[in-house]
Every structure is written in structure tokens, then in C-alpha cells.
Amino acid sequence: MSFWNSIWDIFWWTIWIFAFITYIWAVIAIISDLFRDHTLAGGWKAVWIIFLIFVPFLTVLIYLIARGRGMAERAQKDAIAAQQATDEYIRQTAGTSASASDEIAKAKALLDAGTITQQEYDLLKAKALAHTA
């Protein structure tokens, strides 16, 4: 066996491995999409799964052609929902931050009530103004 034959063998093995991994990824994406689709009845989901088992390559091709657009829409909808949940969690965890004027107003109310001294008020005011800068 010559050097060039072994190079071509490596090349073709690489192509076949890539195609196989791509196929496995497509099957997993299709199965997850079937379970994500709430508009498709359970019987039809079972039919798609059975066809994926017995006629795999043709079923993947037909599924991607027939339901590919809906598959993309469901994935986008889930991504948006996940982003909104993350944003809500961040907002909830971070809490609402008061503006500098709100903090100064609260400190002024404490000063007027006699709860804090003028020096403490000045310190709180300086901190509030430093956070906005």
C-alpha cells in the first residue's frame, strides 16, 4: 500500500465519520423537536419515531423538508423563552436599584426625622452621588 492510498483512506474515513456524526445530530434534533412540538398528536410522534428506526435516512430527509421551518420556529421560540427567563432571574436576583435622587431623598427623610446626623447624611449623599458617576 502506497503513501497516497493511505492518505485517501484517511480522507474518506474522515468524510464518513463526519457524515455519521451529522446524521446522529440530525436524529437527536428531530427527536427533541418531536417532543417539543405540542401541536403534533402523540400518534403522529410515534409514527415519526418508528419511521426513524426503520427507514432512517429517508425519514430524516423528509422530516427536514416537511417540518424544517416549524422546527426552526420552535427552536427560536424556546431560545427567546430561555433568554426571557434568564433576564427575569437576573432582574430578580439583582433587585431594583434606586436612583441617586431616591437614595438622597431617603437619607434626607432620615436626617429630618433625627435618625441620622448631618455627617451621616453627607456621607450617604456622597456615596449615592459616587454610584451614579
Side-chain angles (χ1 to χ4, degrees):
M1 185 177 257
S2 75
F3 173 75
W4 291 109
N5 283 344
S6 64
I7 291 293
W8 283 110
D9 287 342
I10 292 170
F11 174 77
W12 285 113
W13 272 105
T14 304
I15 296 295
W16 280 110
I17 290 170
F18 175 76
F20 180 73
I21 290 172
T22 304
Y23 168 73
I24 294 296
W25 173 81
V27 168
I28 291 170
I30 288 171
I31 291 172
S32 66
D33 182 63
L34 282 171
F35 288 106
R36 185 180 341 173
D37 187 5
H38 300 293
T39 61
L40 189 63
W44 286 110
K45 290 177 184 182
V47 168
W48 278 111
I49 296 291
I50 289 169
F51 273 98
L52 270 173
I53 292 169
F54 292 110
V55 192
F57 292 107
L58 184 61
T59 304
V60 167
L61 184 63
I62 291 171
Y63 189 90
L64 293 176
I65 291 170
R67 297 180 47 89
R69 179 170 299 189
M71 190 175 180
E73 290 169 356
R74 283 183 291 280
Q76 183 179 18
K77 182 177 131 188
D78 285 351
I80 290 170
Q83 181 65 43
Q84 289 173 344
T86 301
D87 291 346
E88 180 59 32
Y89 173 75
I90 290 170
R91 272 190 231 102
Q92 180 183 6
T93 303
T96 58
S97 62
S99 67
S101 61
D102 292 338
E103 291 180 28
I104 293 170
K106 288 177 187 176
K108 179 65 173 160
L110 290 173
L111 177 65
D112 293 341
T115 309
I116 61 173
T117 65
Q118 181 65 40
Q119 293 83 8
E120 291 172 324
Y121 170 75
D122 293 336
L123 182 63
L124 289 172
K125 183 178 175 182
K127 283 184 182 179
L129 292 174
H131 286 279
T132 60

